[in-house]
Amino acid sequence: MLLHSNILGQGQAFVILHGFLGMGDNWKTLGKQFSDEGYQVHLVDQRNHGHSFHDEEFNYQVLTEDLKAYCEAHQLKEIILLGHSMGGKAAMLFAVKYPEFVSKLIIADISPRFYPGHHKDILDGLSALDFDQISSRGEADQILKKYVPEIGTRQFLLKNLYWKEKGKLALRINLEVLKANDSGIGEELPMHTEFNGDTLFLRGERSEYIINQDESLIRKHFPNAKIVTIANAGHWLHAENPKDFFESVMSFLK
């Protein structure tokens, strides 16, 4: 089973891994910008997300094997690999396990440390959506609002809705499996793992996912890491300040 992707442009392969409950499509605008700079951008849907296959197994080990199979099937070598949040954790593990595939690594707003589970309200809200009763995105939004007050987060989550058939909405994500494996999303990068290639960590100025105390751990795993703060942005730094995000990535790549 091969991961679904949207491929833009021609040039060196530039693979982007989305975060938990996201999809490659979330990166379409930035992906187009990167492809305009001469890269072949692969907007990948990870398993149990977007248009990719559903499977009972869900952890970082299988996510990295999915990516390896994807690279082999598309004959991708020396890729630029960018991952956000959960996608960043998957990208880190892939880089330390299969460094021969990665020329440059970009991690968006996540560090190699352990994070306690914090998706309960979001998962409860998505579980409360009864599509036998809900017939519009607006109705779904009203139910989600009780669990997720931030409109930006709700808009991000509602991208997972699609028309399964005429008049019938459904979720693209494999919600039950993601709920069952939520505690593993915060898993730390294994000890004594290292990627020596060029690495960029981008953190949101208003985010607490990468704090100052994380810097020594980052450099332990990624000795050639550069850490850059994106101003006026939280955890969704690529959506909140796409201009500075794009410029920081291009500065690193050039």
Side-chain angles (χ1 to χ4, degrees):
M1 290 186 290
L2 204 60
L3 296 174
H4 174 273
S5 68
N6 187 8
I7 301 171
L8 312 171
Q10 292 297 324
Q12 184 182 7
F14 188 151
V15 178
I16 301 180
L17 300 179
H18 61 79
F20 189 56
L21 305 175
M23 61 185 83
D25 209 44
N26 300 148
W27 287 82
K28 200 153 66 176
T29 304
L30 272 166
K32 177 75 170 66
Q33 284 182 270
F34 291 130
S35 74
D36 288 345
E37 292 291 329
Y39 298 100
Q40 184 183 70
V41 178
H42 294 249
L43 304 176
V44 172
D45 289 344
Q46 301 195 77
R47 68 166 62 196
N48 295 319
H49 290 77
H51 292 272
S52 279
F53 59 88
H54 287 188
D55 193 89
E56 291 298 311
E57 199 172 5
F58 189 77
N59 54 60
Y60 286 118
Q61 298 296 332
V62 295
L63 294 186
T64 59
E65 294 310 314
D66 289 346
L67 181 55
K68 182 169 181 274
Y70 179 88
C71 288
E72 288 171 342
H74 289 273
Q75 298 181 309
L76 305 183
K77 292 171 183 170
E78 298 188 348
I79 65 171
I80 296 160
L81 179 58
L82 187 163
H84 172 244
S85 200
M86 177 194 85
K89 279 279 177 84
M92 285 185 233
L93 185 61
F94 183 81
V96 300
K97 279 182 79 175
Y98 303 114
E100 66 277 13
F101 280 92
V102 183
S103 71
K104 288 179 187 278
L105 179 66
I106 304 159
I107 305 298
D109 213 55
I110 199 81
S111 104
R113 69 177 155 93
F114 170 77
Y115 293 79
H118 54 278
H119 299 110
K120 186 180 185 306
D121 290 347
I122 285 173
L123 293 168
D124 286 350
L126 291 170
S127 300
L129 300 177
D130 179 354
F131 295 112
D132 290 329
Q133 306 293 324
I134 294 167
S135 57
S136 74
R137 289 172 184 273
E139 288 173 32
D141 186 48
Q142 286 306 307
I143 289 163
L144 265 183
K145 202 178 196 175
K146 298 170 191 170
Y147 300 85
V148 185
E150 304 86 12
I151 186 166
T153 307
R154 289 202 311 278
Q155 286 171 337
F156 163 76
L157 295 169
L158 289 167
K159 286 183 177 174
N160 285 294
L161 263 62
Y162 76 108
W163 295 103
K164 189 177 180 181
E165 54 194 64
K166 193 173 181 186
K168 180 84 169 173
L169 282 164
L171 286 169
R172 288 204 188 278
I173 50 169
N174 188 348
L175 184 59
E176 292 311 310
V177 166
L178 296 180
K179 275 167 64 179
N181 293 282
D182 176 44
S183 60
I185 299 300
E187 191 177 287
E188 69 274 21
L189 195 63
M191 286 173 65
H192 313 302
T193 52
E194 201 173 277
F195 173 71
N196 289 301
D198 290 341
T199 305
L200 174 66
F201 277 76
L202 295 167
R203 63 178 170 195
E205 183 183 37
R206 297 195 303 267
S207 172
E208 293 181 356
Y209 275 75
I210 297 180
I211 55 177
N212 291 338
Q213 294 92 304
D214 292 330
E215 292 191 18
S216 60
L217 179 65
I218 285 170
R219 294 209 161 86
K220 197 183 233 176
H221 289 285
F222 304 96
N224 291 307
K226 182 181 176 189
I227 303 168
V228 172
T229 301
I230 302 295
N232 305 312
H235 185 53
W236 278 279
L237 62 177
H238 55 292
E240 292 169 45
N241 189 347
K243 181 178 178 288
D244 285 4
F245 187 93
F246 175 76
E247 287 174 359
S248 296
V249 169
M250 290 313 302
S251 169
F252 169 70
L253 294 180
K254 299 293 186 195

